[in-house]
Every structure is written in structure tokens, then in C-alpha cells.
Amino acid sequence: MDTVIKKIMHDDSDDEIYEQAAEILKNGGLVAFPTETVYGLGADALDEKASAKIYAAKGRPSDNPLIVHIADKKDLEVLSCDVNDMAVKAAEAFWPGPLTMILKKKDIVPDSITGGLGTVAIRMPSHPVAARLIKTSGVYIAAPSANISGKPSPTKAEHVIHDMNGRINMIIADDTVDIGVESTIVDLSEDVPTILRPGFITKKQLEDVLGEVKVDPAVMGNVADGIVPKAPGMKYKHYSPDANVVIVTGDSDKVVGKINELCELRRKEGKRVGVMTVSEDAGCYNADKVVDMGSRCDEALAAKNLFAALRSFDEDGIQYVYSESFPTDNVGQAVMNRLIKAAGHTIIKV
């Protein structure tokens, strides 16, 4: 398949790009586009054949639900049969923005995009390209991240091109992704709101609007085999580079010492090693590649850098990556959630 790649210029010439992309979506094709979180891979959410192409292009398990992207809060009523008070409050507080709500679905939503569940995940993105594409196409867009399933999510057009060129119809390039990790997913289909995936919208922010909010135990730990996932990626290894990723956590001095010990061991074996670290420790490591994720005090910068950092190790032929852990007070919880999945839950405590 020939993939059309178009760069947004932020002038009148963009009109043709949106019209071309809209026609592709209306005709059952696939278009990758930027959002405020990561790049998405979009298809008409109500077209089962089109959404099936997403799973094929990504190599994504068919029981992994997709998020439906909308451009108007009123579309909640079209897709869900139970737009409860919590959903209304959450939409007013956080939409458009990086929050996905899980609600009971209407029959109009195909089972093929919900993992066979009676619920649907819905988001209203704030990124101007995403919002305009939804409006221009006139369809609801099912869109997971625009990467090969299991690999780090794309935050730059070059990431999408690397993974999807030749697999999809069109890539809209506009490197203005500014958050860097996927949306917070909150399940509002039960009595107590439950976070299934942490993101930029924190538990405290949700509690300020909704009252009591729980966090699913799977967010920072393992999920038992056979569990039916309510949110994308809950039961799969995810976000992984080709390199083996290991997290080392504990007292800062001990972490630096352990990572350097592991790096020396691997290098003696002839392996190329990399380290992910905070700025405060970046000069302490002896490795083939050291990635500075930003200050320990800046969780948002770590989130923005995360996926590009993971991809950069593969670009440099790194075989083992040792990562410090990061603070989890705010969006840092989302960083650690993704990093734990990238490491396949391989964590060394010192």
C-alpha cells in the first residue's frame, strides 16, 4: 500500500489535506493524525470493516478495545445509553482534553471495537488537527496509538512513518504533540469511578470533580491471564523497544551503583547498554547511551520525553536499558505505568 504523507502547514493549504483525509475515513480507510497525547491511528468507528483494518495494521489483539474520538459533547448521547451525572461533570471539567470515559454503549457501537464488552471508551481531543479531522470527516474516529502493537507510542511523525508507512492510507504530520502519554481512562459505568489507565488528568483532579475515585490494581501491577480488559493495553506487555528494559528502584545512590554494576556486566558480555535517568543523575553513568529525561521535579517533561527516549535506544542498537524510577505524584504515575509495561514488570529493588 502507498501511504500518503502530508505535513500540516497551518495555512489555507491545509484545507486539501483535511478533505483528502476525510474522504479516506468515509471510504473505510486508515489515517494517522496527531492528538495532544500521542499520534492516533484512525478509522470510522461505526464501520466494522474499517476498524478491523486498525487491528491488522497494528498487529493488535482483537480483544483490546479502541477509543472512539468525538468532536462534540452531545455525541455522548449517540454512543452511550447511560450518560450519567458523573459523565456530564467530567465532560464539563476536562473536555476537550486528555480524558477517556468508559460508559455503557448503545447498539450503534460495534462489538468489534469494544472487545466484546457492553461498554465504550469515548474521548474528545483538544488538539486542533484531531478536532478538525473529526468534524471534517463527519464520522466518529476509533483511534488507538499509531504504532506497531506493543512498541512505544509515537509522539513524532517520524515514529509513525517508521511503523506505519506502507500499512495505512495516510499520515498527517504535525509534531505539536505536547503531553506525550495517552489519555487518562476512567470507568464511569459502575457506581464508583475507577481509573484504568493513568494519564495527564490525575486522580486528585478527578476526585475534585467526581468525589470518590478508585484506581484499578492493574494500573501499577500485573493483570491475571484471562481477565477481560476494559481499557486499551491492560493485559498486554506494551510500549517496549527491541531492547530489554529493566527498572531499578530504591535509594538514589544505591540505584546509581546498581545500574552501573549491571551496565558493566552487560558490556563485558559485548552488549550495548543504555540508561534512562533524571538530570540530577545523568553524569553518574557509564553506558553506551544515557538519556536525560529531565529534572526529578518535572514529571510532565518525563512524560513528554518517555516514548521518544524508548525508541531512541533501538535507533542506536542498544540491547539492554536500565531505568531509574520516576516520581508518581502527578503525571509521573502515567510515566511509571508505561515504563513498568515496557519492562514487562521487570523491577529490581535496591
Side-chain angles (χ1 to χ4, degrees), residues 7-18 132:
K7 181 176 173 59
I8 293 294
M9 303 304 295
H10 302 283
D11 58 28
D12 290 344
S13 67
D14 293 341
D15 294 349
E16 183 179 340
I17 296 174
Y18 287 107
R132 183 172 173 184

Side-chain angles (χ1 to χ4, degrees), residues 67-241:
I67 294 172
V68 180
H69 293 65
I70 63 175
D72 194 310
K73 294 171 188 173
K74 291 184 292 186
D75 293 328
L76 272 174
E77 300 283 354
V78 178
L79 299 171
S80 172
C81 61
D82 183 24
V83 182
N84 52 46
D85 289 342
M86 293 186 295
V88 173
K89 289 178 181 178
E92 286 300 319
F94 302 113
W95 277 5
L99 179 70
T100 294
M101 293 188 275
I102 292 182
L103 297 165
K104 293 176 182 176
K105 79 177 189 73
K106 281 187 175 177
D107 291 341
I108 191 176
V109 180
D111 291 341
S112 58
I113 70 164
T114 67
L117 300 174
T119 53
V120 58
I122 308 171
R123 181 163 104 79
M124 182 177 172
S126 61
H127 195 285
V129 174
R132 183 172 173 184
L133 179 60
I134 299 166
K135 290 175 182 176
T136 304
S137 68
V139 304
Y140 305 121
I141 299 180
S145 52
N147 56 289
I148 298 297
S149 187
K151 293 303 179 184
S153 299
T155 53
K156 299 179 180 179
E158 66 188 68
H159 303 159
V160 185
I161 293 167
H162 178 273
D163 284 13
M164 290 293 149
N165 194 18
R167 291 172 174 261
I168 64 176
N169 302 96
M170 185 175 184
I171 297 170
I172 299 176
D174 181 41
D175 284 347
T176 53
V177 171
D178 59 358
I179 293 176
V181 291
E182 298 88 348
S183 60
T184 303
I185 298 179
V186 61
D187 184 0
L188 301 179
S189 67
E190 306 290 346
D191 291 338
V192 179
T194 302
I195 294 173
L196 303 184
R197 182 177 73 187
F200 191 76
I201 305 300
T202 66
K203 180 174 183 283
K204 184 181 185 305
Q205 288 176 293
L206 288 168
E207 287 175 333
D208 289 343
V209 174
L210 302 176
E212 181 187 2
V213 174
K214 298 188 297 185
V215 178
D216 191 284
V219 162
M220 302 303 283
N222 266 312
V223 179
D225 288 342
I227 194 169
V228 178
K230 277 195 167 186
M234 281 194 79
K235 75 173 194 177
Y236 297 102
K237 186 177 179 183
H238 215 55
Y239 315 115
S240 302

Side-chain angles (χ1 to χ4, degrees), residues 14-95:
D14 293 341
D15 294 349
E16 183 179 340
I17 296 174
Y18 287 107
E19 291 298 334
Q20 184 177 1
E23 285 303 310
I24 289 171
L25 290 169
K26 285 187 285 189
N27 289 315
L30 302 181
V31 177
F33 59 96
T35 78
E36 70 274 26
T37 57
V38 299
Y39 272 83
L41 176 57
D44 182 348
L46 304 187
D47 181 338
E48 291 194 57
K49 290 183 179 179
S51 58
K53 294 176 184 178
I54 292 177
Y55 290 101
K58 285 177 62 71
R60 182 184 177 95
S62 60
D63 64 347
N64 200 356
L66 303 177
I67 294 172
V68 180
H69 293 65
I70 63 175
D72 194 310
K73 294 171 188 173
K74 291 184 292 186
D75 293 328
L76 272 174
E77 300 283 354
V78 178
L79 299 171
S80 172
C81 61
D82 183 24
V83 182
N84 52 46
D85 289 342
M86 293 186 295
V88 173
K89 289 178 181 178
E92 286 300 319
F94 302 113
W95 277 5

